[in-house]
Amino acid sequence: GLAELRARREELSGRIREEEAERSRLQGRIWALTERLARTSESLARHLAARSELDRTIAESEAAYGKILESSQTLLDVLKGQIGNAGKASEPQSTSKEKEKQAHGQKHS
């Protein structure tokens, strides 16, 4: 019976060595994965910060573009108004000159 107990003990010692080796391999994988997770988290944080910066830049650019577009439209409206006023201002002058010519022509007739 003592030999049988020693055999069982030896079998258990073998299993213990195998499980300790497996635990060691798993701890190594956990450490490697923990390191990989930390690197990935840092990279993700950098990418999120960069994307936020790009979002901010895009929003500022769109706002500036909108202001430029609005200013351009205002300028265009002002120019159209000035062109319209310049056209109206020149009409009375030509009309008064025509009236003078007509009046002058009637005097000679």
Side-chain angles (χ1 to χ4, degrees):
L2 195 53
E4 187 180 316
L5 289 174
R6 285 187 178 145
R8 284 178 56 194
R9 181 181 186 278
E10 202 49 46
E11 184 183 328
L12 280 176
S13 292
R15 286 184 183 169
I16 289 170
R17 282 190 299 276
E18 288 173 4
E19 287 181 2
E20 285 175 342
E22 176 68 8
R23 183 176 70 179
S24 225
R25 281 191 299 274
L26 289 173
Q27 284 177 334
R29 287 179 60 192
I30 289 171
W31 180 82
L33 289 172
T34 301
E35 287 295 311
R36 187 172 164 192
L37 177 61
R39 285 192 307 271
T40 302
S41 295
E42 290 171 6
S43 177
L44 178 61
R46 285 191 307 273
H47 287 126
L48 288 170
R51 184 178 69 182
S52 292
E53 181 66 22
L54 286 173
D55 287 344
R56 187 181 62 77
T57 301
I58 288 169
E60 288 174 358
S61 297
E62 286 175 341
Y65 176 75
K67 288 179 182 177
I68 290 170
L69 192 60
E70 185 180 326
S71 296
S72 297
Q73 187 61 49
T74 301
L75 179 60
L76 183 61
D77 292 343
V78 168
L79 288 174
K80 284 180 181 178
Q82 288 180 350
I83 289 171
N85 288 340
K88 289 178 184 176
S90 65
E91 285 177 12
Q93 290 176 355
S94 64
T95 305
S96 61
K97 287 182 181 179
E98 288 175 7
K99 287 182 182 177
E100 288 177 16
K101 286 182 184 179
Q102 287 176 357
H104 188 61
Q106 288 176 355
K107 290 180 184 176
H108 292 288
S109 305

